[in-house]
Amino acid sequence: MDKVFKALADETRRYLLDRLHEENGQTLGELCARLGMTRQSVTQHLAVLEAANLVSTVRRGREKLHYLNPVPLHEVQERWIDKFERPRLRMLGDVKRRAEEPVTPEFVYVTYIESTAERVWEALTDADVTAEYWGHRNISDWQVGSAWSHRRADGSEIDDVVGEVVEADPPRRLVTTWADPADPSVTSTVTFRIEAYGEIVRLTVTHTDLADDAERGQAAAGWSAVLSNLKSLLETGHVLPGIPWQMPVG
């Protein structure tokens, strides 16, 4: 929390967060162009924001894209605002939802889990484990080029998502395409990046090629609920009480 307040105390860093709120997924060059500062100065400010978990990065080819991560802002809201100014809670909730919705057709979610990279990889690819926290069995041999399916765990044998394994580098990186079985020609892409650091893991999920704002909103709500359930399972041994993605919004 101290790192978050330190990051927000600087006007330039607040400006960078505003720019990423307006247009998520910008390169260092794009951010520098709007600031009129040297790349070294902007890099130092971004490093402070990353240390506070307010900004996350995703490499795409030679480019490094920067994304606003609203989770620490939500934690500030819960600890320092909700209990003092409850009438404003609804307004702040709207701000948080807007911050989580990228302007471009993709969604990025970052979470930290007290676990190992190997256990997180298993939780994403083992059919029995995914059934515990996702309500679906992720079925594949997870070889590049292989098919995969997201099959309901209720015994109906219905696949709600199908796709192909694009990249598989256990336990660091998994990339798959996602499609509706009724129209498998229209696909989006999901990338899981697993980074171990001591006894914790940073899991970054990037969902790209989404069709429109409505689909981005569904992705934001769905991934937040599923990954919260995954984090709970790995850290406590049990999933959240109830089904988080069925929790009403508002």
Side-chain angles (χ1 to χ4, degrees):
M1 192 67 71
D2 289 341
K3 291 182 179 180
V4 174
F5 283 118
K6 176 184 175 181
L8 294 175
D10 184 86
E11 181 180 4
T12 299
R13 292 194 283 270
R14 294 197 301 271
Y15 180 85
L16 286 168
L17 293 177
D18 285 338
R19 299 292 71 79
L20 291 175
H21 181 215
E22 291 176 1
E23 184 179 352
N24 228 354
Q26 295 188 57
T27 64
L28 175 61
E30 291 170 333
L31 292 170
C32 288
R34 301 188 67 175
L35 269 171
M37 297 175 64
T38 65
R39 293 174 68 91
Q40 182 178 4
S41 296
V42 176
T43 298
Q44 290 173 345
H45 283 298
L46 288 171
V48 175
L49 292 170
E50 285 190 61
N53 198 25
L54 288 164
V55 167
S56 60
T57 60
V58 175
R59 286 202 173 273
R60 186 159 301 157
R62 296 184 178 181
E63 292 184 324
K64 186 178 182 181
L65 305 182
H66 299 81
Y67 292 88
L68 172 66
N69 182 25
V71 174
L73 298 176
H74 177 63
E75 292 174 350
V76 169
Q77 171 192 331
E78 287 186 325
R79 180 172 178 182
W80 295 105
I81 299 175
D82 288 4
K83 62 184 177 183
F84 297 119
E85 297 194 42
R86 188 166 297 276
R88 298 188 181 186
L89 176 60
R90 286 190 297 273
M91 179 186 70
L92 292 171
D94 290 339
V95 172
K96 175 179 178 293
R97 282 191 291 274
R98 293 191 190 101
E100 287 180 334
E101 294 176 358
V103 177
T104 52
E106 60 185 28
F107 176 77
V108 178
Y109 188 93
V110 180
T111 187
Y112 292 83
I113 305 172
E114 186 178 357
S115 186
T116 65
E118 289 76 13
R119 288 190 66 210
V120 173
W121 177 272
E122 179 187 24
L124 295 171
T125 58
D126 185 280
D128 292 334
V129 179
T130 57
E132 284 190 66
Y133 70 89
W134 210 331
H136 286 73
R137 299 169 62 85
N138 288 348
I139 299 174
S140 177
D141 62 12
W142 306 110
Q143 300 300 308
V144 173
S146 293
W148 83 281
S149 62
H150 191 56
R151 184 167 299 168
R152 295 181 190 179
D154 58 6
S156 64
E157 299 298 310
I158 295 175
D159 292 336
D160 286 322
V161 180
V162 295
E164 180 181 316
V165 179
V166 179
E167 294 182 41
D169 180 20
R172 291 175 289 272
R173 181 177 170 88
L174 176 66
V175 182
T176 59
T177 61
W178 286 44
D180 185 334
D183 188 5
S185 64
V186 179
T187 65
S188 60
T189 302
V190 173
T191 300
F192 299 95
R193 185 174 58 161
I194 304 167
E195 300 167 281
Y197 182 75
E199 296 180 353
I200 65 172
V201 168
R202 176 166 61 192
L203 173 62
T204 303
V205 179
T206 307
H207 199 157
T208 61
D209 305 318
L210 296 165
D212 50 31
D213 287 340
E215 193 166 284
R216 283 198 298 272
Q218 292 173 356
W223 282 118
S224 298
V226 167
L227 295 175
S228 295
N229 222 18
L230 166 62
K231 177 180 171 69
S232 178
L233 177 63
L234 291 181
E235 291 185 343
T236 69
H238 58 77
V239 297
L240 295 171
I243 302 176
W245 49 86
Q246 292 182 356
M247 183 175 179
V249 177

